Amino acid sequence: MMKKLLSCILTLALVLCGTGVMAEGFTAGTYTGTAQGFGGEIAATVTLSDSEITEISITGDGETAGIGSEAIKSLPGKMLEAQSPNVEAMSGATVTSAAIVEAVTAALKEAGVDAAALTPKAPETGDRTEETIEADVVIVGAGGAGMSAAITAANAGKTVVVVEKAAIAGGNTTRATGGMNAAETSVQKAAGVEDSVELFVEDTMKGGKEINDKALVTTLAENSAAAIDWLDSIGAPLPDLTMLGGSSAKRAHRPEGGAAVGSYLVPILLKNCENSDKITILYETPATQIVMKDGAAAGIKASSAAVDYTINAGAVVLASGGFAASEEMYTKYQPSLKGFVTTNAPGMTGDGIVMAEEVGAATVDMEQIQIHPTVEQSTSALITEGLRGDGAILVNAEGKRFIDELETRDVVSAAELEQTGGYAFLLFDQDLRDRVSAVNSYVNKGLTVQGDTVEELAAAMGVDAAALKETVDGWNAAIEAGKDEAFGRTSLEYPVVTAPFYAVKVAPGVHHTMGGVKIDPETQVIDVNGNVIPGLYAAGEVTGGVHGANRLGGNAVADVIVFGRIAGENAAAYASK
């Protein structure tokens, strides 16, 4: 018995002392640790007194603006409050969050502290409170559509409250990569690109298998050029052009240098919201109910960790996104998608659609769920379609092309799934990397393999070198001849000739839900009887009808900006009645 007691005492002593967490406190000092983040190295500097963690400083310049950068800002404070690195990851920035935890843990290890033994202190919480807020317009969701609506309504003189379930703004818009489609723009005219609203409509209807609501598509196309000008006016010009799958012209507008469009736009939209004295954003405050009064939308219910809100408003705008982050919901409509990775932000779980249905809203095209062909499977990172528009090719496990790379997403995805292993490699050269800055993040994240020759690249990819060399030579010959005899690709501008050469292994992932709440071209929500629900508007991926059976690359950003602005304008006008 005594021997067993001594053993227990020894074990307790090891727990208290062997981990470096001495009963009397820490070893005071400043310690450092590093980890690999989403876009490069994350560095942590942790300062200890003899009894507590006194300071945590995080750096990570390569993390995505508006996503990882927000985790860098907020997690150190939460860790200090908890006196532990073991805090909940920031929704939407899980990779960066995990890297911050790892870096702080490494710094503590340098101090002789076992971070796993630091049980987080529970935050001090009082009783839940109730709060009522009055606003002209309330918006559910601080993504691209929600922020565009908020800025527009505020510019019309209205007070706006935005509720966002995540800890950061952006939603799926932050993850958009390729560009924003628009026709007859000043950017296209300056570049000598011939395009038209009619061709934009035709391409979108064709891509959507002609089941799109043509009135919505026409509204999208007709207002797209003005939306580009509006973004320019708020400090977000999109001066670069590329062609994305399914388009007949270079109409995808993107930031200078070919950077990812979403992570560029979101911080600028957010800055405009934060600079307005008429806009308030409540984070980590999911909406739970649309409040109806005399048959019209009159506000919402929402709840944060400590407060239950009733937000009374003259008009309500739903901009809460789709449901492609909810496997339960998307497999309800498409069971075959079970087990696919998703490119979506974690908050995209269809909450707004459910709330709208509860007040009688109709839905449309709910079974239309898009998979994207170029998703890096280990990270769920979306590899921009702009790479294919700028000359990248797709090859299979045998090192051979198998499709016109600029076919629509559904066609390319289906072709990939038919290849050996159900995957492909996206292959490009240094010249493309120099032209499209988004590539740098893929390289920095370790998503690519490379070689100084095509044969060396083949070895890194694990494919037959002779076959890959033949494929690349054949592609370059097609460009020189001006005709792709193999697959009929018409965009033949950029050969693959400049070393080093790169490849990313990709496969399809769930990307976009084309279905959602039914709206009219004024973004008014339509009920199950075909009537407008007064005071209720919706924009972005929460809606259905715009994209039909398949969304074209570049149309999502156009959707959120164009219809977000329309929703903001019309909600402001309705609130004035």
Side-chain angles (χ1 to χ4, degrees), residues 380-401:
S380 298
L382 179 67
I383 309 302
T384 176
E385 198 161 296
L387 266 64
R388 285 175 280 149
D390 281 310
I393 58 174
L394 284 167
V395 300
N396 59 21
E398 289 73 42
K400 298 178 180 179
R401 286 180 70 215

Side-chain angles (χ1 to χ4, degrees), residues 227-457:
I228 292 291
D229 292 339
W230 179 75
L231 286 172
D232 195 355
S233 75
I234 66 168
L238 297 174
D240 198 81
L241 291 171
T242 191
M243 180 184 289
L244 302 181
S247 293
S248 298
K250 280 190 174 183
R251 69 169 65 103
H253 296 63
R254 59 188 182 182
E256 186 173 0
V261 66
S263 56
Y264 164 80
L265 287 178
V266 164
I268 299 171
L269 290 168
L270 181 58
K271 182 179 179 181
N272 278 267
C273 288
E274 292 175 339
N275 287 346
S276 172
D277 60 3
K278 294 187 177 298
I279 300 173
T280 300
I281 302 178
L282 302 176
Y283 293 105
E284 297 182 286
T285 305
T288 57
Q289 180 186 342
I290 299 167
V291 175
M292 302 294 290
K293 184 177 180 180
D294 299 327
I300 66 165
K301 300 279 190 180
S303 295
S304 69
V307 183
D308 294 322
Y309 292 98
T310 298
I311 304 174
N312 298 318
V316 177
V317 177
L318 292 177
S320 51
F323 55 94
S326 171
E327 186 175 65
E328 179 182 1
M329 193 165 179
Y330 65 68
T331 55
K332 172 183 174 181
Y333 299 102
Q334 290 290 351
S336 63
L337 296 177
K338 186 173 180 59
F340 275 60
V341 302
T342 179
T343 65
N344 279 231
M348 302 301 107
T349 53
D351 307 0
I353 297 171
V354 173
M355 286 190 294
E357 287 183 306
E358 288 173 349
V359 298
T363 59
V364 60
D365 297 338
M366 291 294 286
E367 73 284 359
Q368 302 299 339
I369 299 164
Q370 181 179 73
I371 57 177
H372 193 291
T374 55
V375 181
E376 201 285 322
Q377 299 290 294
S378 67
T379 61
S380 298
L382 179 67
I383 309 302
T384 176
E385 198 161 296
L387 266 64
R388 285 175 280 149
D390 281 310
I393 58 174
L394 284 167
V395 300
N396 59 21
E398 289 73 42
K400 298 178 180 179
R401 286 180 70 215
F402 55 91
I403 189 74
D404 171 1
E405 291 82 359
L406 292 182
E407 273 283 5
T408 55
R409 290 171 174 177
D410 57 332
V411 173
V412 178
S413 294
E416 276 185 356
L417 292 172
E418 292 175 356
Q419 305 308 305
T420 302
Y423 65 86
F425 292 94
L426 193 62
L427 188 153
F428 53 93
D429 67 358
Q430 183 63 38
D431 179 57
L432 186 148
R433 181 180 179 183
D434 291 340
R435 285 183 283 107
V436 184
S437 62
V439 173
N440 293 326
S441 66
Y442 308 146
V443 176
N444 293 337
K445 293 168 192 170
L447 305 184
T448 60
V449 295
Q450 67 186 75
D452 289 333
T453 65
V454 172
E455 291 84 354
E456 286 184 14
L457 179 63

Side-chain angles (χ1 to χ4, degrees), residues 445-511:
K445 293 168 192 170
L447 305 184
T448 60
V449 295
Q450 67 186 75
D452 289 333
T453 65
V454 172
E455 291 84 354
E456 286 184 14
L457 179 63
M461 295 163 61
V463 305
D464 183 79
L468 189 65
K469 182 69 163 60
E470 182 180 359
T471 295
V472 172
D473 288 346
W475 168 247
N476 293 336
I479 291 175
E480 187 174 351
K483 188 173 185 180
D484 177 18
E485 296 281 2
F487 299 103
R489 177 166 165 172
T490 56
S491 176
L492 300 169
E493 296 181 68
Y494 305 108
V496 178
V497 294
T498 306
F501 303 95
Y502 302 87
V504 185
K505 188 176 181 180
V506 295
V510 176
H511 183 54

